Amino acid sequence: MNAMGGEAIPAGEAQVLRLGRLDLVADPAGALFIPDEGMLVVADLHLEKASSFAGRGVFLPPYDTRATLAVVARLVARYAPRAVVALGDSFHDAGAHARLEVRDREALAALQSGRDWLWVTGNHDPEVPRAAGGERAAELRLADVVLRHAPGDNGTAEIVGHLHPAARVRLTGRSVRRRCFAAGARRIVMPALGALTGGLNLRDAAFRPLFPDGVTALVLGQRLYAIGWPLLLPD
Amino acid sequence: MPTAAALPPAFTAWFAGRGWHVRRHQLDLLASARAGRSALLVAPTGAGKTLAGFLPSLVELAQAPDRAGLHTLYISPLKALAVDIARNLEAPVTEMGLPVKIETRTGDTPAHKRARQIARPPHILLTTPEQLALLLAHREAETFFASLRRVVLDELHALVTSKRGDLLSLGLMRLFALAPQVTTVGLSATVREPEVLARYLVPQRAGVAAPDIITVKEGARPHIGILESRLAPPLAGHTALHAMEEIYRAIRDHRLSLVFVNTRMQAEFVFQELWRLNDDGLAIALHHGSLDAGQRRRVEAAMAEGRLKAVVCTSTLDLGIDWGDVDLVINVGAPKGASRLMQRIGRANHRLDEPSKAFLVPANRFEVLECRAALDAVAEAAQDTPDARTGALEVLAQHVLGRACAGPFDADAFYEEVRGAAPYAGLSRRDFDDVVAFVATGGYALRSYERFARIVRGKDGLWRVANPRVAQQYRLNVGTIVEEPMLRVRLARPRRAGGMTVVRGGRVLGEVEEYFAEGLTPGDTFVFAGEVLRFEGIHENEVIASRTAAGTDPKVPSYAGGKFPLSSFLASRVRHMIANPDDWHRLPKPVANWLMAQKMKSRLPRPGELLVETFPRGGRYYLVTYPFEGRLAHQTLGMLLTRRLERARLRPLGFVANDYGLAAWGTADIGLAVTQGRLSLADLFAPDMLGDDLEDWLAESALMKRTFRHCAIIAGMIERRFPGQEKTGRQVTMSTDLVYDVLRRHEPDHVLLRAARADAATGLLDVRRLGDMLVRVAGRIVHAPLDHLSPLSVAVMLEIGREMVYGEAAEHMLAEAEAAMMEEAMR
């Protein structure tokens, strides 16, 4: 199977959201597109997570970077964005970029070419090496919305990553656990896009202070499924 | 010809002093040992097997009073059994004043004692397969085992059917390499093909003599029958509620009864129901693996002291521990295998020359047939031992790492050693090399982790561990038992204080599977540890439950299906029984009538054929078939059939399966499609479904992902989680699912995926058995188009409502959940 072309990412319909004065398109693959800016936002790519584990003698399949970049490539092909924002934890550790294989490095460069690319810094990658191309910033402000890696105080509307939200949904005795967007009135927490990145249940205490007015899970699948609190289960 | 004269006088005197005479097989074993030959002892429970196994060691040690170093290693599948045997051995040793030191080594053995055992080994060490693996990986292994003469493998028939058996067989080959003079003795319950079992005991190499096989004739025939009950067994269900009064009376009329059931849930239910009837206040206790260990020990002690009247138990009491003076065994539900039944019956009257007494209590009509078949098998002393295993690659991976921890090895020589192990006799060099590459650097084809290697090949051509941390990693990961994630059940009543939930710590009652807890909603009542509990919630990896008022009924059905699939041996007997009306007079009247009705309304499935019934019911169209291949194989068949029906545009909606058959249904008329020639049953059931269809389904199957997770843990790809570590099993499961997806997409032929597929074939998916069945019935599929459901089908149809999974069910479910939310919002 061709690794670049063969990634199964849903081609289903996206969903339109509004946060502050910003119109957003939530894509079922787990990204946001901001039409007014021509901007694609992806979060928590955690590139080279597997090779990071290998250093501890845990040999996960070393294909996570190419799998993750393939998803980004499909999103870029779908939206042809003028700019891409990677919302932090793009690299799993400080040495991750240096460990990129040549083909993955080239794939990343191809994605960056002809458009603006912004690495928002995260706790895993406080410093993104120059070799990774693009620009760096701790945060980005669009209209009245801030884009940053980890949630800030509840003052400004914001789009963040960091928490890797996942939802567990049960109906008629069966349950499904999937990555999701966590969407509230003033904040959207994006799902992690990294191929080997696990998820934190939306019912976890860490989410509680972030959504004082309630939260909806937009669960990833062939399309986005909007599931409210009563149907969300803890792990 | 061995005679009692072969025994030293001290031994003869000891036997005489107890009023015993030395038994034939005990002398035979002695003779084999003296001739330097390994042996398999096949004997029923109560034949003095264990003493026979140790007798040659004791005789030899008695004659060499100054001998130092390890002489005999005893391996048992259960820690408790090792401890029990050590205790039993002390009696002859002390009474004869033998200079023999006996010790156990289990997970509970304190560190200082373990260290001392390495420095100054006992003569006889009793341990488990996992502890043996750890000892073999020890740097001192070579010295420690150099003096070893004998290995005794207890309950060999039980060990060899699992991955633990694979691990043990590899360990045994190591022992032969370290101590070439070793002879082995395997102790086994009666099996069908002792020659197959005996292969485990010696290296599979030209020039190595096959072990002697010593068989002890069955003792007194057991008195065994189906418990007569006033009420007829129902068509479906697993509670045996209809026979509870009779079970209670049987308990009352005997000294000590063991009531065996197949699952923990059944144990809870039966215990609960017996106490409901217990007007005489009989001391009836409960024993199963999920109960708190302290609780179990108390029940065992009370049993041994004769303070109990009955114990309701699961297979935790299956294996040969002698707990007390049991005079009746009651087996609730179908025994699932003739050998298992014999083993359980053997718990009663633990003496060879007295008959054991046992009752079978079938819980439904299919089980009546199964029980009848099992009784016939027992009467003929026929056995249904499972086939020999093909060694698992993930277990080999663990062994390779352990081998490197003990010291450098040469790959060629090690390959030959490994192939000496019976389960690995057919191991290809490619598989072996792939496993070694996996252990070294992950074994990935497109990119490797050379610089992080765990084992490296030096200039001398030998493999060795790259650093000491690797050995530590190995020790934490040893063993082949991957526990299902469990949650502790704590008795407490959570209070809300200032928006926070405060749990006041109460008693821990035991553990439940995480999946069971997941299915509960606060307020649900369920049975656990013999009480009806109210589920309060999950709090920090514990299930919080409170006591309910007396008389509360449990709301959540507590039966979750049998763990043991119906053995193919019993299945074949059941098929013959159904097909043969002359045989039906031996069945209870309601069951015979049920089969008669089937004969008139539809037809009887004949042994060599597969009956497929189709009929409409309630706006749906059903297909019901009766392969009798066990629930796991039927589930796999159901998954694959619904895929094919979907492709044939017959719009399947779901299916259910039990041990005997399966029912699939949809919105298009399946029967009409067959009679009009639009659907060929031969094609629908063609064995090629195990090709692409299976592969497609595996991609998304949760069972396959669970299988992969087990393999990945055993092979050491991912780390085991231990108590105290943050992540719950659920989170770990999720991340191995991601690993599975990535690996499957990028390297579908990776050795660990091959291992997982092989495991699925015999494990959770039982593909092998399904494949055998499809080939067997090819060209002999009989269609019975019916106007309405048949008598046999009712027993399968009653399973409906328990499960429905296939294809895009997850997407449907999410869409439904969303719709349910909308409906609520619009109200």
Side-chain angles (χ1 to χ4, degrees), chain A residues 7 48 58-61 63 99 101 170 223 225-226, chain B residues 440 442 444 447 449 473 519 521 717 738 745 747 811 818:
Chain A
E7 298 300 333
E48 292 301 305
V58 176
F59 298 147
L60 300 177
Y63 309 122
R99 291 197 306 274
E101 274 190 289
R170 182 177 70 161
R223 61 182 178 85
Y225 302 95
Chain B
Y444 299 105
R447 185 182 170 185
Y449 291 128
Q473 224 176 5
T521 321
M717 177 194 257
L738 298 175
R745 207 167 289 152
E747 199 172 334
E811 296 286 337
E818 189 182 57

PDB file of all heavy atoms in Angstrom, chain A residues 7 48 58-61 63 99 101 170 223 225-226, chain B residues 440 442 444 447 449 473 519 521 717 738 745 747 811 818:
ATOM      1  N   GLU A   7      -3.637   6.500   3.143  1.00  0.00           N
ATOM      2  CA  GLU A   7      -4.194   6.766   4.463  1.00  0.00           C
ATOM      3  C   GLU A   7      -5.704   6.919   4.373  1.00  0.00           C
ATOM      4  O   GLU A   7      -6.225   7.688   3.575  1.00  0.00           O
ATOM      5  CB  GLU A   7      -3.604   8.050   5.057  1.00  0.00           C
ATOM      6  CG  GLU A   7      -2.115   7.995   5.263  1.00  0.00           C
ATOM      7  CD  GLU A   7      -1.717   6.880   6.204  1.00  0.00           C
ATOM      8  OE1 GLU A   7      -2.533   6.499   7.045  1.00  0.00           O
ATOM      9  OE2 GLU A   7      -0.590   6.388   6.073  1.00  0.00           O
ATOM     10  N   GLU A  48       7.551  11.705  15.534  1.00  0.00           N
ATOM     11  CA  GLU A  48       8.650  10.891  16.096  1.00  0.00           C
ATOM     12  C   GLU A  48       8.395  10.448  17.527  1.00  0.00           C
ATOM     13  O   GLU A  48       9.320  10.266  18.311  1.00  0.00           O
ATOM     14  CB  GLU A  48       9.998  11.634  15.995  1.00  0.00           C
ATOM     15  CG  GLU A  48      10.498  11.798  14.573  1.00  0.00           C
ATOM     16  CD  GLU A  48      10.701  10.477  13.831  1.00  0.00           C
ATOM     17  OE1 GLU A  48      11.433   9.622  14.340  1.00  0.00           O
ATOM     18  OE2 GLU A  48      10.092  10.307  12.749  1.00  0.00           O
ATOM     19  N   VAL A  58      11.411   0.509  24.053  1.00  0.00           N
ATOM     20  CA  VAL A  58      10.050   0.139  23.645  1.00  0.00           C
ATOM     21  C   VAL A  58       9.933   0.419  22.157  1.00  0.00           C
ATOM     22  O   VAL A  58       9.936   1.578  21.741  1.00  0.00           O
ATOM     23  CB  VAL A  58       8.994   0.944  24.436  1.00  0.00           C
ATOM     24  CG1 VAL A  58       7.592   0.620  23.943  1.00  0.00           C
ATOM     25  CG2 VAL A  58       9.126   0.650  25.918  1.00  0.00           C
ATOM     26  N   PHE A  59       9.865  -0.664  21.379  1.00  0.00           N
ATOM     27  CA  PHE A  59       9.958  -0.505  19.924  1.00  0.00           C
ATOM     28  C   PHE A  59       8.592  -0.427  19.262  1.00  0.00           C
ATOM     29  O   PHE A  59       8.119  -1.392  18.675  1.00  0.00           O
ATOM     30  CB  PHE A  59      10.774  -1.652  19.326  1.00  0.00           C
ATOM     31  CG  PHE A  59      12.196  -1.707  19.816  1.00  0.00           C
ATOM     32  CD1 PHE A  59      12.855  -2.912  19.965  1.00  0.00           C
ATOM     33  CD2 PHE A  59      12.876  -0.533  20.139  1.00  0.00           C
ATOM     34  CE1 PHE A  59      14.176  -2.960  20.414  1.00  0.00           C
ATOM     35  CE2 PHE A  59      14.184  -0.569  20.585  1.00  0.00           C
ATOM     36  CZ  PHE A  59      14.838  -1.785  20.731  1.00  0.00           C
ATOM     37  N   LEU A  60       7.958   0.725  19.331  1.00  0.00           N
ATOM     38  CA  LEU A  60       6.696   0.924  18.631  1.00  0.00           C
ATOM     39  C   LEU A  60       6.993   1.039  17.140  1.00  0.00           C
ATOM     40  O   LEU A  60       8.088   1.420  16.745  1.00  0.00           O
ATOM     41  CB  LEU A  60       6.007   2.196  19.139  1.00  0.00           C
ATOM     42  CG  LEU A  60       5.674   2.211  20.626  1.00  0.00           C
ATOM     43  CD1 LEU A  60       5.057   3.542  21.019  1.00  0.00           C
ATOM     44  CD2 LEU A  60       4.721   1.071  20.968  1.00  0.00           C
ATOM     45  N   PRO A  61       5.984   0.739  16.294  1.00  0.00           N
ATOM     46  CA  PRO A  61       6.237   0.819  14.853  1.00  0.00           C
ATOM     47  C   PRO A  61       6.710   2.229  14.467  1.00  0.00           C
ATOM     48  O   PRO A  61       6.058   3.205  14.826  1.00  0.00           O
ATOM     49  CB  PRO A  61       4.876   0.519  14.222  1.00  0.00           C
ATOM     50  CG  PRO A  61       4.061  -0.096  15.289  1.00  0.00           C
ATOM     51  CD  PRO A  61       4.632   0.306  16.609  1.00  0.00           C
ATOM     52  N   TYR A  63       6.445   4.142  12.139  1.00  0.00           N
ATOM     53  CA  TYR A  63       5.752   4.709  10.982  1.00  0.00           C
ATOM     54  C   TYR A  63       4.776   5.795  11.377  1.00  0.00           C
ATOM     55  O   TYR A  63       3.939   6.199  10.591  1.00  0.00           O
ATOM     56  CB  TYR A  63       5.019   3.600  10.222  1.00  0.00           C
ATOM     57  CG  TYR A  63       5.899   2.418   9.895  1.00  0.00           C
ATOM     58  CD1 TYR A  63       5.582   1.138  10.322  1.00  0.00           C
ATOM     59  CD2 TYR A  63       7.076   2.608   9.162  1.00  0.00           C
ATOM     60  CE1 TYR A  63       6.408   0.068  10.029  1.00  0.00           C
ATOM     61  CE2 TYR A  63       7.911   1.540   8.872  1.00  0.00           C
ATOM     62  CZ  TYR A  63       7.570   0.272   9.303  1.00  0.00           C
ATOM     63  OH  TYR A  63       8.396  -0.787   9.008  1.00  0.00           O
ATOM     64  N   ARG A  99      15.656  13.435  14.196  1.00  0.00           N
ATOM     65  CA  ARG A  99      15.478  12.008  13.916  1.00  0.00           C
ATOM     66  C   ARG A  99      14.592  11.743  12.699  1.00  0.00           C
ATOM     67  O   ARG A  99      14.430  10.591  12.300  1.00  0.00           O
ATOM     68  CB  ARG A  99      14.867  11.297  15.135  1.00  0.00           C
ATOM     69  CG  ARG A  99      15.762  11.193  16.347  1.00  0.00           C
ATOM     70  CD  ARG A  99      15.244  10.131  17.322  1.00  0.00           C
ATOM     71  NE  ARG A  99      13.846  10.336  17.703  1.00  0.00           N
ATOM     72  CZ  ARG A  99      13.449  11.120  18.711  1.00  0.00           C
ATOM     73  NH1 ARG A  99      14.343  11.766  19.437  1.00  0.00           N
ATOM     74  NH2 ARG A  99      12.172  11.238  18.981  1.00  0.00           N
ATOM     75  N   GLU A 101      13.223  10.917   9.272  1.00  0.00           N
ATOM     76  CA  GLU A 101      13.817  10.268   8.121  1.00  0.00           C
ATOM     77  C   GLU A 101      13.809  11.236   6.949  1.00  0.00           C
ATOM     78  O   GLU A 101      12.978  12.152   6.890  1.00  0.00           O
ATOM     79  CB  GLU A 101      12.994   9.043   7.737  1.00  0.00           C
ATOM     80  CG  GLU A 101      13.375   7.810   8.487  1.00  0.00           C
ATOM     81  CD  GLU A 101      12.692   6.630   7.856  1.00  0.00           C
ATOM     82  OE1 GLU A 101      11.460   6.515   8.005  1.00  0.00           O
ATOM     83  OE2 GLU A 101      13.376   5.830   7.203  1.00  0.00           O
ATOM     84  N   ARG A 170     -22.048   5.854  24.891  1.00  0.00           N
ATOM     85  CA  ARG A 170     -22.732   4.570  25.027  1.00  0.00           C
ATOM     86  C   ARG A 170     -24.199   4.706  24.628  1.00  0.00           C
ATOM     87  O   ARG A 170     -24.859   5.680  24.947  1.00  0.00           O
ATOM     88  CB  ARG A 170     -22.665   4.068  26.457  1.00  0.00           C
ATOM     89  CG  ARG A 170     -23.349   2.706  26.584  1.00  0.00           C
ATOM     90  CD  ARG A 170     -23.243   2.139  27.964  1.00  0.00           C
ATOM     91  NE  ARG A 170     -24.062   2.903  28.904  1.00  0.00           N
ATOM     92  CZ  ARG A 170     -24.439   2.425  30.085  1.00  0.00           C
ATOM     93  NH1 ARG A 170     -24.064   1.242  30.476  1.00  0.00           N
ATOM     94  NH2 ARG A 170     -25.169   3.150  30.895  1.00  0.00           N
ATOM     95  N   ARG A 223     -18.263  11.278   9.700  1.00  0.00           N
ATOM     96  CA  ARG A 223     -18.518  12.723   9.802  1.00  0.00           C
ATOM     97  C   ARG A 223     -18.332  13.072  11.259  1.00  0.00           C
ATOM     98  O   ARG A 223     -17.903  12.222  12.053  1.00  0.00           O
ATOM     99  CB  ARG A 223     -19.923  13.047   9.310  1.00  0.00           C
ATOM    100  CG  ARG A 223     -21.039  12.387  10.088  1.00  0.00           C
ATOM    101  CD  ARG A 223     -22.380  12.744   9.471  1.00  0.00           C
ATOM    102  NE  ARG A 223     -23.508  12.121  10.125  1.00  0.00           N
ATOM    103  CZ  ARG A 223     -24.122  12.591  11.205  1.00  0.00           C
ATOM    104  NH1 ARG A 223     -23.699  13.691  11.797  1.00  0.00           N
ATOM    105  NH2 ARG A 223     -25.154  11.956  11.715  1.00  0.00           N
ATOM    106  N   TYR A 225     -19.865  13.768  14.868  1.00  0.00           N
ATOM    107  CA  TYR A 225     -21.098  13.505  15.596  1.00  0.00           C
ATOM    108  C   TYR A 225     -21.113  14.392  16.822  1.00  0.00           C
ATOM    109  O   TYR A 225     -20.195  14.340  17.645  1.00  0.00           O
ATOM    110  CB  TYR A 225     -21.167  12.040  15.998  1.00  0.00           C
ATOM    111  CG  TYR A 225     -21.083  11.101  14.814  1.00  0.00           C
ATOM    112  CD1 TYR A 225     -19.862  10.555  14.426  1.00  0.00           C
ATOM    113  CD2 TYR A 225     -22.220  10.781  14.073  1.00  0.00           C
ATOM    114  CE1 TYR A 225     -19.778   9.707  13.329  1.00  0.00           C
ATOM    115  CE2 TYR A 225     -22.145   9.937  12.974  1.00  0.00           C
ATOM    116  CZ  TYR A 225     -20.924   9.405  12.604  1.00  0.00           C
ATOM    117  OH  TYR A 225     -20.837   8.572  11.525  1.00  0.00           O
ATOM    118  N   ALA A 226     -22.172  15.194  16.952  1.00  0.00           N
ATOM    119  CA  ALA A 226     -22.252  16.101  18.106  1.00  0.00           C
ATOM    120  C   ALA A 226     -22.938  15.376  19.254  1.00  0.00           C
ATOM    121  O   ALA A 226     -24.108  15.020  19.171  1.00  0.00           O
ATOM    122  CB  ALA A 226     -23.035  17.350  17.718  1.00  0.00           C
TER     123      ALA A 226
ATOM    124  N   ALA B 440      15.736  -7.629  18.943  1.00  0.00           N
ATOM    125  CA  ALA B 440      16.910  -6.755  18.853  1.00  0.00           C
ATOM    126  C   ALA B 440      16.500  -5.303  18.627  1.00  0.00           C
ATOM    127  O   ALA B 440      16.820  -4.424  19.415  1.00  0.00           O
ATOM    128  CB  ALA B 440      17.829  -7.232  17.736  1.00  0.00           C
ATOM    129  N   GLY B 442      13.149  -4.303  17.065  1.00  0.00           N
ATOM    130  CA  GLY B 442      11.763  -4.100  16.668  1.00  0.00           C
ATOM    131  C   GLY B 442      11.415  -4.832  15.386  1.00  0.00           C
ATOM    132  O   GLY B 442      10.236  -5.014  15.087  1.00  0.00           O
ATOM    133  N   TYR B 444      11.525  -4.016  12.232  1.00  0.00           N
ATOM    134  CA  TYR B 444      10.770  -3.321  11.185  1.00  0.00           C
ATOM    135  C   TYR B 444      11.564  -3.303   9.886  1.00  0.00           C
ATOM    136  O   TYR B 444      12.773  -3.087   9.890  1.00  0.00           O
ATOM    137  CB  TYR B 444      10.430  -1.902  11.635  1.00  0.00           C
ATOM    138  CG  TYR B 444       9.580  -1.910  12.872  1.00  0.00           C
ATOM    139  CD1 TYR B 444      10.110  -1.586  14.118  1.00  0.00           C
ATOM    140  CD2 TYR B 444       8.251  -2.304  12.806  1.00  0.00           C
ATOM    141  CE1 TYR B 444       9.335  -1.639  15.263  1.00  0.00           C
ATOM    142  CE2 TYR B 444       7.468  -2.363  13.945  1.00  0.00           C
ATOM    143  CZ  TYR B 444       8.014  -2.032  15.166  1.00  0.00           C
ATOM    144  OH  TYR B 444       7.237  -2.102  16.293  1.00  0.00           O
ATOM    145  N   ARG B 447      12.520   0.685   8.449  1.00  0.00           N
ATOM    146  CA  ARG B 447      13.316   1.609   9.237  1.00  0.00           C
ATOM    147  C   ARG B 447      13.635   0.877  10.533  1.00  0.00           C
ATOM    148  O   ARG B 447      12.803   0.152  11.046  1.00  0.00           O
ATOM    149  CB  ARG B 447      12.458   2.836   9.551  1.00  0.00           C
ATOM    150  CG  ARG B 447      13.224   3.916  10.264  1.00  0.00           C
ATOM    151  CD  ARG B 447      12.312   5.074  10.595  1.00  0.00           C
ATOM    152  NE  ARG B 447      12.999   5.987  11.461  1.00  0.00           N
ATOM    153  CZ  ARG B 447      12.456   7.047  12.010  1.00  0.00           C
ATOM    154  NH1 ARG B 447      11.184   7.330  11.781  1.00  0.00           N
ATOM    155  NH2 ARG B 447      13.136   7.832  12.798  1.00  0.00           N
ATOM    156  N   TYR B 449      15.627   0.515  14.511  1.00  0.00           N
ATOM    157  CA  TYR B 449      16.084   1.195  15.715  1.00  0.00           C
ATOM    158  C   TYR B 449      17.451   0.669  16.124  1.00  0.00           C
ATOM    159  O   TYR B 449      17.692   0.390  17.289  1.00  0.00           O
ATOM    160  CB  TYR B 449      15.080   0.946  16.845  1.00  0.00           C
ATOM    161  CG  TYR B 449      13.734   1.606  16.674  1.00  0.00           C
ATOM    162  CD1 TYR B 449      12.562   0.874  16.776  1.00  0.00           C
ATOM    163  CD2 TYR B 449      13.630   2.984  16.472  1.00  0.00           C
ATOM    164  CE1 TYR B 449      11.312   1.478  16.668  1.00  0.00           C
ATOM    165  CE2 TYR B 449      12.387   3.595  16.358  1.00  0.00           C
ATOM    166  CZ  TYR B 449      11.236   2.831  16.455  1.00  0.00           C
ATOM    167  OH  TYR B 449      10.023   3.440  16.358  1.00  0.00           O
ATOM    168  N   GLN B 473      14.052  -4.874  32.362  1.00  0.00           N
ATOM    169  CA  GLN B 473      12.834  -4.812  31.565  1.00  0.00           C
ATOM    170  C   GLN B 473      12.242  -6.219  31.391  1.00  0.00           C
ATOM    171  O   GLN B 473      11.048  -6.424  31.505  1.00  0.00           O
ATOM    172  CB  GLN B 473      13.179  -4.229  30.194  1.00  0.00           C
ATOM    173  CG  GLN B 473      12.205  -3.206  29.694  1.00  0.00           C
ATOM    174  CD  GLN B 473      12.699  -2.611  28.366  1.00  0.00           C
ATOM    175  OE1 GLN B 473      13.698  -3.018  27.789  1.00  0.00           O
ATOM    176  NE2 GLN B 473      11.971  -1.636  27.878  1.00  0.00           N
ATOM    177  N   GLY B 519     -20.454  -1.213  31.872  1.00  0.00           N
ATOM    178  CA  GLY B 519     -21.849  -1.374  31.475  1.00  0.00           C
ATOM    179  C   GLY B 519     -22.834  -0.906  32.531  1.00  0.00           C
ATOM    180  O   GLY B 519     -24.028  -0.883  32.300  1.00  0.00           O
ATOM    181  N   THR B 521     -24.703   1.720  35.239  1.00  0.00           N
ATOM    182  CA  THR B 521     -25.041   3.116  35.458  1.00  0.00           C
ATOM    183  C   THR B 521     -25.337   3.260  36.944  1.00  0.00           C
ATOM    184  O   THR B 521     -25.918   2.339  37.526  1.00  0.00           O
ATOM    185  CB  THR B 521     -26.308   3.482  34.652  1.00  0.00           C
ATOM    186  OG1 THR B 521     -26.231   2.811  33.398  1.00  0.00           O
ATOM    187  CG2 THR B 521     -26.428   4.959  34.435  1.00  0.00           C
ATOM    188  N   MET B 717       6.675  -5.684  23.274  1.00  0.00           N
ATOM    189  CA  MET B 717       6.638  -4.476  22.445  1.00  0.00           C
ATOM    190  C   MET B 717       6.153  -3.300  23.270  1.00  0.00           C
ATOM    191  O   MET B 717       6.651  -2.192  23.153  1.00  0.00           O
ATOM    192  CB  MET B 717       5.718  -4.657  21.247  1.00  0.00           C
ATOM    193  CG  MET B 717       5.610  -3.381  20.415  1.00  0.00           C
ATOM    194  SD  MET B 717       4.275  -3.406  19.239  1.00  0.00           S
ATOM    195  CE  MET B 717       5.150  -3.723  17.732  1.00  0.00           C
ATOM    196  N   LEU B 738      -3.986   1.998  18.463  1.00  0.00           N
ATOM    197  CA  LEU B 738      -3.315   2.903  17.521  1.00  0.00           C
ATOM    198  C   LEU B 738      -2.084   2.235  16.930  1.00  0.00           C
ATOM    199  O   LEU B 738      -1.824   2.339  15.732  1.00  0.00           O
ATOM    200  CB  LEU B 738      -2.915   4.207  18.230  1.00  0.00           C
ATOM    201  CG  LEU B 738      -4.059   5.053  18.794  1.00  0.00           C
ATOM    202  CD1 LEU B 738      -3.511   6.239  19.573  1.00  0.00           C
ATOM    203  CD2 LEU B 738      -4.988   5.529  17.689  1.00  0.00           C
ATOM    204  N   ARG B 745      -1.159  -0.967   8.651  1.00  0.00           N
ATOM    205  CA  ARG B 745      -1.162  -0.205   7.417  1.00  0.00           C
ATOM    206  C   ARG B 745       0.225  -0.175   6.771  1.00  0.00           C
ATOM    207  O   ARG B 745       0.356  -0.200   5.561  1.00  0.00           O
ATOM    208  CB  ARG B 745      -1.616   1.228   7.737  1.00  0.00           C
ATOM    209  CG  ARG B 745      -2.267   1.905   6.563  1.00  0.00           C
ATOM    210  CD  ARG B 745      -2.970   3.162   7.012  1.00  0.00           C
ATOM    211  NE  ARG B 745      -4.161   2.893   7.794  1.00  0.00           N
ATOM    212  CZ  ARG B 745      -4.633   3.714   8.723  1.00  0.00           C
ATOM    213  NH1 ARG B 745      -3.993   4.830   9.021  1.00  0.00           N
ATOM    214  NH2 ARG B 745      -5.736   3.428   9.359  1.00  0.00           N
ATOM    215  N   GLU B 747       3.153  -2.145   7.769  1.00  0.00           N
ATOM    216  CA  GLU B 747       3.943  -3.365   7.655  1.00  0.00           C
ATOM    217  C   GLU B 747       3.086  -4.574   8.007  1.00  0.00           C
ATOM    218  O   GLU B 747       3.272  -5.214   9.048  1.00  0.00           O
ATOM    219  CB  GLU B 747       5.191  -3.283   8.553  1.00  0.00           C
ATOM    220  CG  GLU B 747       6.237  -4.288   8.119  1.00  0.00           C
ATOM    221  CD  GLU B 747       7.563  -4.116   8.843  1.00  0.00           C
ATOM    222  OE1 GLU B 747       7.856  -2.996   9.299  1.00  0.00           O
ATOM    223  OE2 GLU B 747       8.295  -5.104   8.935  1.00  0.00           O
ATOM    224  N   GLU B 811     -20.571   3.493  13.604  1.00  0.00           N
ATOM    225  CA  GLU B 811     -21.042   4.745  13.000  1.00  0.00           C
ATOM    226  C   GLU B 811     -22.553   4.906  13.225  1.00  0.00           C
ATOM    227  O   GLU B 811     -23.031   5.970  13.592  1.00  0.00           O
ATOM    228  CB  GLU B 811     -20.738   4.757  11.489  1.00  0.00           C
ATOM    229  CG  GLU B 811     -19.255   4.730  11.148  1.00  0.00           C
ATOM    230  CD  GLU B 811     -18.547   6.069  11.416  1.00  0.00           C
ATOM    231  OE1 GLU B 811     -19.213   7.112  11.439  1.00  0.00           O
ATOM    232  OE2 GLU B 811     -17.310   6.041  11.617  1.00  0.00           O
ATOM    233  N   GLU B 818     -26.562  10.692  18.543  1.00  0.00           N
ATOM    234  CA  GLU B 818     -26.749  12.097  18.204  1.00  0.00           C
ATOM    235  C   GLU B 818     -28.234  12.389  18.027  1.00  0.00           C
ATOM    236  O   GLU B 818     -28.765  13.388  18.527  1.00  0.00           O
ATOM    237  CB  GLU B 818     -25.978  12.407  16.921  1.00  0.00           C
ATOM    238  CG  GLU B 818     -25.926  13.871  16.588  1.00  0.00           C
ATOM    239  CD  GLU B 818     -25.178  14.098  15.277  1.00  0.00           C
ATOM    240  OE1 GLU B 818     -25.577  13.522  14.254  1.00  0.00           O
ATOM    241  OE2 GLU B 818     -24.191  14.836  15.317  1.00  0.00           O
TER     242      GLU B 818
END
